[in-house]
Amino acid sequence: MYDANYLASRLRGASVGAEDSTLLRNHQTRETLSYGAFFANAERMARVLVDAGLQPGDRVAVQAPKTQAMLELYVGTVLAGGVFLPLNTAYTGAELSYFLGDAAPRVLVCDPKRLDDLTPIAKGAGVAEVLTIAADETGSLTERRDAQEAGFEAVARAPEDLAAILYTSGTTGRSKGAMLTHLGLASNAETLKDVWRFTRDDVLIHALPIFHTHGLFVASNITLMAGSTCIFMAGFDADAIMGYMKDGATALMGVPTFYVRLAGMEGLAEVSKGMRLFVSGSAPLLSETHDRWREVTGHAILERYGMTETNMNTSNPYDGDRRAGTVGFPLPGVEVIVTDPSSGAALPQGEIGVLEVRGPNVFAGYWQMPEKTAEELRDNGFFITGDLGRIDNEGYVHIVGRGKDLIITGGYNVYPKEIELLIDDLPGVNESAVIGVPHPDFGEGVVAVVVPEKGAELSEEQIRAGIASDLAKFKQPKRVIIVDVLPRNTMGKVQKKELRERYRALLS
Ligand code: AMP
């Protein structure tokens, strides 16, 4: 029934004949959902969409709480030949109006609380149908689903057809819609399932949002493809996660902040005994967190590197040395090279430059932005990630920062990571972010924003003195600001853009 649909047939594959096995244990509702019931619901969702006039290639936009219905809608959209378009729940009406105008979806699914705000925006963007889904799984979407029969002949879709559009977080200018293909999503999940050894015996704690590549594609696609079970949580809840670890979970996928918070929980050593795998990504994991975790639990967190446009590119090894501060090796079938930021020429091993990636996982371009696509996706298939990094002698990839975070002061390049690592090593420092702000003489000047450890007293002088002997003068911060917390987005990424704006006038 799914054979002609490239991605759906692969998502269904492992559970054929195992319809009774559990796909989801829902933390909110305390209910379980079997594979058979999930796919029957996904088929009903496909029927709801076809009834709403969905044609192959049409977009289905969703801005809604994390629910199992949203996951069913994702697979239902794929079955119906549509393109799934999840949107960050934090986006405002004004932002939604851009996304809906840009993507022109056939259907929008939103939280019932936002129906009144979003209906006029959706109508203005030509959306044919607006449906709702609330955090407790109620709404017109599930009502329509339940009124449908299960069973649906999947619409034929080839490897190169689109399955999803995910908008980038838009840290530089407007968000761009990354067009993700059936092949891109399927091949990446298949590879990760194999290299991380997911099987039917796994029970994954799923506490990530499903509007982002990490929670939607990495965590959910792997679970489906392996026939594993996932504990589906609306958000991060340290106590509940501790309980699930104790109670039969085998794997956790998280952003670094998950691990920072869990590392401080009493009883972690005991409850983590039955766990097989801890994966971290979406933002850099501090070596300190990695070391602490290993000390307490005996497990080395497996760090991987990916992004909206490519899904996952590299991973530390399952067997072998998982090195703190690195993102491991290119995944099978994925090539990673380092190029000169100005000339684009490949650099020798060990040198810092821009990471470029090629493989079946790489997206098909930005939705309706041919110029942006041409700027970032080379004719030879390499995607220019915008991340700065290097590949060491043993082949481990190291991320040094985002290209746009590179500081150029008096004509010299300064990589913030180098300074952050030194500051983070000082006593009393919890974490730091180093940025460049306008400077009248040097173009940009280095500023360090530092968070002390709980209860520690730190001064600007102490920080400066602590790193002075390790850094060339031009790299030394001209100012050090002590703050309580660094601004972060929902995926745990430090918002350097916000810091640059906040301290814009500091050196002028
Ligand atoms: P997003 O498209 O929101 O998933 O963000 C992707 C970006 O997150 C990448 O381009 C990197 O800058 C960053 N990122 C993802 N994983 C890691 C990692 N393990 N270490 C450092 N940065 C990461």
Side-chain angles (χ1 to χ4, degrees):
M1 203 166 51
Y2 292 4
D3 284 354
N5 186 298
Y6 192 86
L7 176 58
S9 58
R10 281 157 179 81
L11 293 176
R12 179 74 174 102
S15 59
V16 172
E19 280 71 18
D20 289 343
S21 60
T22 303
L23 166 61
L24 292 185
R25 282 165 60 191
N26 194 321
H27 173 67
Q28 269 62 41
T29 62
R30 305 273 154 198
E31 283 173 12
T32 59
L33 184 72
S34 70
Y35 269 88
F38 174 80
F39 280 104
N41 277 346
E43 291 158 9
R44 293 185 178 97
M45 289 291 190
R47 287 175 180 263
V48 170
L49 295 172
V50 170
D51 281 358
L54 187 93
Q55 298 289 323
D58 281 353
R59 277 76 56 211
V60 175
V62 190
Q63 188 198 36
K66 180 177 172 181
T67 51
Q68 77 188 36
M70 185 165 158
L71 215 51
E72 293 163 359
L73 182 69
Y74 155 55
V75 177
T77 303
V78 172
L79 283 172
V83 177
F84 191 65
L85 197 165
L87 293 161
N88 192 324
T89 43
Y91 287 140
T92 61
E95 285 164 319
L96 257 278
S97 132
Y98 164 71
F99 292 118
L100 298 182
D102 190 51
R106 165 80 52 179
V107 176
L108 169 69
V109 177
C110 68
D111 191 325
K113 288 185 200 139
R114 301 200 64 188
L115 185 63
D116 291 346
D117 287 354
L118 296 183
T119 301
I121 297 172
K123 295 291 167 212
V127 174
E129 189 99 53
V130 182
L131 298 170
T132 59
I133 183 75
D136 64 0
E137 308 275 345
T138 60
S140 56
L141 179 69
T142 37
E143 277 163 27
R144 295 244 189 132
R145 175 196 70 191
D146 295 343
Q148 295 282 351
E149 296 289 327
F152 183 82
E153 194 63 45
V155 172
R157 292 274 92 184
E160 63 278 9
D161 285 326
L162 294 192
I165 293 177
L166 278 195
Y167 278 87
T168 59
S169 38
T171 40
T172 47
R174 285 241 122 148
S175 278
K176 295 164 281 187
M179 299 191 286
L180 303 168
T181 63
H182 279 240
L183 174 67
L185 299 182
S187 68
N188 205 241
E190 264 160 5
T191 303
L192 294 171
K193 165 183 77 85
D194 292 343
V195 299
W196 294 344
R197 313 262 172 95
F198 271 83
T199 70
R200 283 188 184 173
D201 296 332
D202 274 301
V203 179
L204 171 72
I205 300 173
H206 190 317
L208 293 161
I210 52 171
F211 52 72
H212 186 269
T213 187
H214 196 168
L216 182 62
F217 299 133
V218 183
S220 308
N221 284 351
I222 291 180
T223 301
L224 286 164
M225 279 193 183
S228 314
T229 298
C230 89
I231 297 166
F232 201 65
M233 305 175 69
F236 179 82
D237 174 339
D239 290 320
I241 290 177
M242 295 285 287
Y244 287 125
M245 283 201 257
K246 195 168 160 211
D247 183 25
T250 62
L252 172 68
M253 285 182 194
V255 291
T257 32
F258 282 21
Y259 294 102
V260 172
R261 292 198 212 158
L262 287 169
M265 300 291 288
E266 208 169 308
L268 177 64
E270 193 54 38
V271 300
S272 60
K273 279 200 175 123
M275 293 288 284
R276 176 179 77 78
L277 182 64
F278 294 98
V279 177
S280 175
S282 294
L285 181 77
L286 295 179
S287 299
E288 184 196 299
T289 313
H290 189 280
D291 295 344
R292 169 123 195 257
W293 195 266
R294 197 196 287 248
E295 252 163 55
V296 177
T297 68
H299 289 279
I301 297 173
L302 186 154
E303 184 169 7
R304 95 297 177 280
Y305 160 64
M307 62 197 63
T308 303
E309 289 92 335
T310 64
N311 276 25
M312 300 305 107
N313 299 312
T314 74
S315 168
N316 267 282
Y318 189 85
D319 296 317
D321 199 6
R322 298 178 195 164
R323 295 230 175 122
T326 83
V327 292
F329 306 114
L331 289 167
V334 178
E335 293 167 83
V336 178
I337 56 169
V338 180
T339 59
D340 185 294
S342 34
S343 70
L347 290 171
Q349 194 146 351
E351 285 192 24
I352 293 176
V354 177
L355 295 172
E356 297 193 20
V357 176
R358 180 164 69 181
N361 56 317
V362 170
F363 73 141
Y366 293 114
W367 175 255
Q368 289 181 335
M369 288 187 177
E371 314 79 38
K372 287 275 173 214
T373 303
E375 274 169 30
E376 295 180 31
L377 197 54
R378 294 188 193 279
D379 290 342
N380 64 9
F382 273 100
F383 171 59
I384 307 168
T385 63
D387 288 315
L388 295 169
R390 71 184 169 88
I391 304 179
D392 69 21
N393 289 339
E394 291 168 85
Y396 284 87
V397 177
H398 299 239
I399 312 278
V400 178
R402 290 289 296 167
K404 62 182 184 338
D405 294 333
L406 177 73
I407 303 168
I408 305 179
T409 179
Y412 291 110
N413 286 358
V414 176
Y415 297 103
K417 183 88 179 269
E418 185 188 357
I419 308 166
E420 288 162 4
L421 288 174
L422 285 173
I423 296 179
D424 293 348
D425 267 351
L426 295 176
V429 172
N430 178 0
E431 59 173 348
S432 61
V434 168
I435 52 168
V437 302
H439 186 286
D441 295 333
F442 302 121
E444 281 185 304
V446 178
V447 169
V449 186
V450 178
V451 180
E453 272 171 2
K454 242 199 185 125
E457 289 279 335
L458 284 178
S459 70
E460 172 157 13
E461 279 323 303
Q462 258 172 295
I463 304 281
R464 282 157 164 296
I467 57 174
S469 58
D470 294 317
L471 277 182
K473 190 93 178 129
F474 71 91
K475 295 184 192 170
Q476 293 185 15
K478 303 228 167 335
R479 286 293 310 274
V480 176
I481 314 284
I482 312 285
V483 297
D484 291 338
V485 279
L486 295 174
R488 284 196 147 82
N489 71 5
T490 37
M491 298 308 291
K493 289 190 218 305
V494 174
Q495 300 297 284
K496 288 202 168 172
K497 187 173 163 223
E498 192 178 323
L499 289 174
R500 283 193 289 265
E501 273 156 23
R502 199 187 290 172
Y503 301 114
R504 179 153 206 93
L506 197 68
L507 305 179
S508 38

